[in-house]
Each structure stands twice: as C-alpha cells, then as structure tokens.
Amino acid sequence: MKQDTQGFAETGVPEFPAPAVRVPSQPRAADVDRERADSAGAVRGEHTHSEQPVPRPFAERARPVVQRASVRGQILDALRTALVTAELRPGEVYSAPALGERFGVSATPVREAMQQLALEGAVEVVPNRGFRVVQRDARELAELAEVRGLIEVPVILRLARTVPAERWAELRPSAEATVRAASSGCRATYAEADRAFHRAVLSLAGNEQLVRIADDLHRRTQWPPAGAAASSGRSDLIADAAEHAAVLDALIARDLDAVRALVRVHFAGTR
C-alpha cells in the first residue's frame, strides 16, 4: 500500500510485467475463456496473469479504500463543515497545497473538492493563487431564504392535504435529531440534521429534482455572511429545531391553518 496521505490512503496493486501467454496448439474451451478474461483485465489495467486470485473477503474490504473518490468526498465534507463554521473565512484565498497540508493529504483531492464547491457557488477560482471563499451579505441570504420559501412552502401545504398522518409520524425521529443537534450548539452538526429533515419532508412529493434543488438552496443559506459570528447561538438553533417539531405536530393533526402559519414563520426566520 502506498500511503499518500495522513488519515487518507490511496492503494494500488504493484505493477509487474505480465509474462507471455503460451497458447496451446489445440486450445480447450476453458483455456479460451480464461485467456479472454485475462485480456479484458489487461485492458482495464488489471494484472491477471502473474497474480493469485485475491480472496473475496479481502477484496470486499479493500475496494472502498482504493477508490480515489472516497478521499475527495471526505475532503469535500470537511471543507463544507469549515464553510458552515466560518473556519474558512469569506473573502480569504486558500491554495490547494496549503489546505492539503492542513488536512494531511495531497493537493489533488483538495483541488477536486474545491472545484466542486466552485460549482456550488461557495468559492471562486483565483488563477495562480487558489480559491477565494465567496462573501455573502445579509441581503443575499435573505433572497436565498425567500426562494426556498417560494419552493418549499407550497409543496408542504400540498402535502399537508394529501399525505396521511402515519406517514408524517414516520418523520418524528428526523425532527428529534434536529433537536439533539441544536442542543449540541454546533452549527455544522445542526446544519446537516436540518437539511436531512427538510429532505425527508420534500421527498414525500416524489420529485427528486425538487429535493435536489431545494437541498442546494438550503446549503447555500447555511454559509454565514462576511463578518458574522462563527456560529449561531445555541438558543437560536434550539428555536429553529422546535419549529420542526411544531410543524410536524400540525401535519400529523392535519391542522392546515396551523401548518400554513408555522411554515411561513419558519422560512421567514431561516437560519
């Protein structure tokens, strides 16, 4: 195993030249099948001639480790957390090599993760320097919250009239998870639980595109504006989580007037 990172590993099978294959003068069907399999493996970069078959349990354990995407995904999650907590400060420029050293990985997965964040609008590319964290003001966050409301409120009100109470009751664990996350006082922990609850609600509409777009907007509203405190106060998070429970109670009771009033308050005060 080539240990490329600290905490993240990239592995690969050592590359040895494959010996020449001797083809029998009168090949049997089994030999032909085996040679075809060997040839296909060589095209994929696999070394099939000189190696013993890898035991299945080991192969199953090793497969997730060798995937490069798993490293990039972990870095992307870490960078998203740093954005929510304002550890990556708005307006600051960060280079991939410096962040890679900070996270204990090479620059490549950091650069790939940053490019994904650029697509999401969290950072912008600064040629020959790195990536600048986008600065947001209160007005932009208010606009994003308004767009979220325009999308989610009508959907929730429609679902309130059609989804049976027992389906809403199934979301109780998700709502309770937001309360626990809020009690921790960690903005990043709460941000994830908050989005999970809203995804669970919107998923009842059966529209994957709706869920994806709403989740992207939600994530953008969770990045603090320039100059803001690193995290919302614990009491603010607890109040937001309590609104989830109140909305869910109204949905289970099929109290449409209460649902309408609660969701409008919730989106007006989106944190």
Side-chain angles (χ1 to χ4, degrees):
M1 174 181 292
K2 177 185 177 184
Q3 189 68 31
D4 176 60
T5 64
Q6 180 181 24
F8 302 101
E10 290 182 282
T11 61
V13 179
E15 297 188 3
F16 298 105
V21 179
R22 296 181 58 190
V23 181
S25 56
Q26 296 181 346
R28 296 172 298 173
D31 294 324
V32 173
D33 291 342
R34 181 168 58 255
E35 288 164 11
R36 287 175 178 171
D38 288 344
S39 177
V43 170
R44 294 191 300 268
E46 299 168 1
H47 303 279
T48 57
H49 299 301
S50 60
E51 300 176 18
Q52 294 297 321
V54 178
R56 182 172 296 275
F58 176 82
E60 291 175 351
R61 290 195 304 272
R63 190 174 298 113
V65 178
V66 302
Q67 293 179 358
R68 181 176 186 79
S70 65
V71 179
R72 191 200 70 145
Q74 292 176 68
I75 295 298
L76 181 58
D77 289 342
L79 290 172
R80 283 173 170 165
T81 296
L83 286 168
V84 171
T85 59
E87 185 179 354
L88 291 180
R89 297 185 296 276
E92 293 291 325
V93 177
Y94 298 89
S95 71
L99 286 173
E101 183 176 353
R102 180 176 178 179
F103 285 114
V105 300
S106 68
T108 300
V110 175
R111 189 175 296 109
E112 293 172 348
M114 277 296 201
Q115 288 169 346
Q116 174 60 37
L117 292 175
L119 293 175
E120 296 175 4
V123 301
E124 55 189 10
V125 178
V126 181
N128 302 319
R129 292 187 60 194
F131 301 86
R132 178 184 290 112
V133 178
V134 173
Q135 298 189 70
R136 287 180 165 75
D137 55 24
R139 177 177 178 176
E140 182 176 354
L141 291 177
E143 290 174 349
L144 286 169
E146 181 181 5
V147 175
R148 279 191 64 208
L150 291 172
I151 293 175
E152 295 193 44
V153 170
V155 174
I156 294 174
L157 294 179
R158 174 169 60 84
L159 293 174
R161 295 190 294 270
T162 58
V163 174
E166 56 268 22
R167 292 293 305 279
W168 291 119
E170 293 173 359
L171 302 188
R172 182 70 68 185
S174 184
E176 292 174 347
T178 68
V179 174
R180 290 192 300 272
S183 298
S184 73
C186 175
R187 184 184 178 95
T189 300
Y190 182 72
E192 189 61 38
D194 185 25
R195 290 202 319 279
F197 175 76
H198 281 266
R199 285 196 303 269
V201 171
L202 294 178
S203 66
L204 295 176
N207 188 325
E208 294 182 4
Q209 298 302 317
L210 166 70
V211 174
R212 184 177 297 110
I213 292 171
D215 191 59
D216 178 64
L217 287 169
H218 196 169
R219 187 188 299 279
R220 291 170 184 247
T221 65
Q222 293 173 331
W223 301 326
S231 63
S232 295
R234 180 171 175 269
S235 60
D236 289 339
L237 300 181
I238 291 175
D240 195 60
E243 291 174 4
H244 293 157
V247 169
L248 192 58
D249 288 340
L251 288 166
I252 293 173
R254 301 187 69 82
D255 186 341
L256 299 185
D257 290 336
V259 171
R260 186 176 298 105
L262 287 167
V263 294
R264 287 176 176 169
V265 168
H266 184 67
F267 283 96
T270 298
R271 296 163 180 80

